[in-house]
Amino acid sequence: MRCLLLISLVLAGCVNLDIELTRPDPQVAAAKTGEDCAHAIVLPFLIGSLSVEQAMQQAGHYEGEVGYTKKFISTPITKLRQTTLTQFGTVFYTEVCVRATGE
């Protein structure tokens, strides 16, 4: 019973948000996705900075078969389709990411 109470208290503070910062551009294909993330552990201050330009530089796609043979090919985004702000957090950990999608 105590374990169930502890788990419910820890999970009561979970947050998972996806916020579209820009509307999707239908003329640009969603071929690549890149993310730039900042993290906070216990403290309310994020470690790192968020940048759409950095997310565009870290973009790429996976090539190959499903499983262990998949290889990540890093190719920066040149045309931006959509920008999304993603936040996941619990009582002790928070992650905020900017996701850039485009060609």
Side-chain angles (χ1 to χ4, degrees):
M1 182 67 181
R2 290 180 185 168
C3 184
L4 182 63
L5 179 64
L6 180 65
I7 290 173
S8 64
L9 286 175
V10 170
L11 294 179
C14 292
V15 176
N16 191 7
L17 300 173
D18 287 329
I19 301 168
E20 292 182 0
L21 298 177
T22 60
R23 292 183 180 211
D25 185 1
Q27 297 176 349
V28 179
K32 299 178 250 181
T33 301
E35 285 187 344
D36 187 22
C37 297
H39 307 276
I41 301 172
V42 180
L43 300 173
F45 305 108
L46 291 173
I47 299 170
S49 61
L50 300 174
S51 169
V52 175
E53 290 83 12
Q54 187 68 26
M56 290 173 68
Q57 290 297 319
Q58 294 178 359
H61 64 281
Y62 285 96
E63 198 173 81
E65 297 294 322
V66 177
Y68 294 108
T69 60
K70 290 178 87 172
K71 182 179 178 185
F72 184 75
I73 308 296
S74 178
T75 53
I77 294 174
T78 55
K79 293 182 182 178
L80 192 61
R81 176 185 171 91
Q82 184 178 12
T83 307
T84 307
L85 182 70
T86 304
Q87 180 179 1
F88 172 76
T90 62
V91 176
F92 303 110
Y93 175 77
T94 301
E95 178 183 64
V96 179
C97 295
V98 172
R99 182 180 300 139
T101 306
E103 298 179 346

